[in-house]
Amino acid sequence: MDEPTVTLDVRQLGPVERKLRGALEEQLTSALQAATERVRAGYAGEPVEVVQQQLLAETRAGLHHDIADAWQPDPAELHRVAATIAHQDTIAHHAAP
């Protein structure tokens, strides 16, 4: 799985956020990647929607509360990451001898 990344839409950012865009993207990406690893490690067959909510909660938990409160992730990207976690687990279980 490609590591998930966060790209902020410049059109939706205020002047301060625009200046901090690179640093914010790095922090959000780092938090999302760490959350992905934790959720993947604890995955126990939950539906994709549950995994998606876990990813969101874990990512926000890894951020400063001001950033976490303001971050509006792309639901399609979170869903893609969650589906990949669930799909990889399904493949791993079917491939096991």
Side-chain angles (χ1 to χ4, degrees):
M1 173 178 148
D2 292 333
E3 290 297 320
T5 59
V6 175
T7 303
L8 299 174
D9 184 351
V10 176
R11 297 170 295 175
Q12 297 180 348
L13 300 177
V16 173
E17 292 87 359
R18 282 190 193 125
K19 288 181 183 179
L20 299 172
R21 180 180 174 202
L24 286 170
E25 286 178 341
E26 286 178 23
Q27 187 173 9
L28 290 165
T29 294
S30 177
L32 179 57
Q33 289 175 354
T36 299
E37 291 303 316
R38 286 191 299 273
V39 170
R40 183 184 295 131
Y43 182 73
E46 299 88 355
V48 172
E49 293 76 18
V50 172
V51 176
Q52 185 173 341
Q53 289 304 313
Q54 291 172 341
L55 282 170
L56 181 58
E58 288 285 334
T59 302
R60 285 197 166 133
L63 296 166
H64 184 277
H65 66 87
D66 289 336
I67 295 171
D69 291 345
W71 182 49
Q72 296 300 315
D74 178 355
E77 177 64 8
L78 279 183
H79 185 82
R80 182 193 68 78
V81 175
T84 300
I85 290 170
H87 181 69
Q88 284 181 339
D89 185 73
T90 301
I91 291 172
H93 280 107
H94 288 357

